[in-house]
Amino acid sequence: MPTKPAAPAGPHVTAVTTTLTCVPGNNVARAVVRVEYDGAAGGTLHLVWWRNVLPTQAGAAPMDPQTVRLPQGATSYVFTSNFTYRDGGHRPFIGVTASTDPAAATGASSQSVRCR
């Protein structure tokens, strides 16, 4: 009798959510990223900051990429990251895109905010 193939190794990431805010007067954007996963194994969170003239990542240059290991045995992980910027009216939107490896069931989470 044939056997079923083994389940893929690694965690199964169910969701990535991001909250992005500006810290008034400090020229700092703050991202709080929450990853929900089964904890079967460690995974990786990828975070990329960007600035643009529009509130989308299309055409923006990536800045300050970060990689964080998700701990094995946990079922959720919260990561906070700050991005310090120079006030520049020509690129008022600051954004962050969070993705995981393996990919989350709900996909990557990308947010942008107008900071002035």
Side-chain angles (χ1 to χ4, degrees), residues 38-86:
D38 66 4
T44 306
L45 168 65
H46 302 279
L47 196 71
V48 178
W49 287 96
W50 47 270
R51 289 192 74 176
N52 206 353
V53 295
L54 300 170
T56 63
Q57 189 175 4
M63 302 156 64
D64 196 23
Q66 297 171 311
T67 302
V68 179
R69 288 289 298 156
L70 302 172
Q72 182 176 351
T75 57
S76 67
Y77 186 79
V78 177
F79 179 71
T80 301
S81 178
N82 291 332
F83 176 74
T84 303
Y85 61 92
R86 283 203 231 185

Side-chain angles (χ1 to χ4, degrees), residues 75-113:
T75 57
S76 67
Y77 186 79
V78 177
F79 179 71
T80 301
S81 178
N82 291 332
F83 176 74
T84 303
Y85 61 92
R86 283 203 231 185
D87 191 19
H90 63 286
R91 292 186 302 168
F93 290 96
I94 296 176
V96 66
T97 300
S99 61
T100 58
D101 183 19
T106 59
S109 179
S110 187
Q111 300 283 322
S112 66
V113 65

Side-chain angles (χ1 to χ4, degrees), residues 21-50:
T21 57
C22 291
V23 180
N26 290 338
N27 288 357
V28 172
R30 177 171 293 137
V32 178
V33 181
R34 182 178 182 88
V35 181
E36 300 288 335
Y37 62 109
D38 66 4
T44 306
L45 168 65
H46 302 279
L47 196 71
V48 178
W49 287 96
W50 47 270

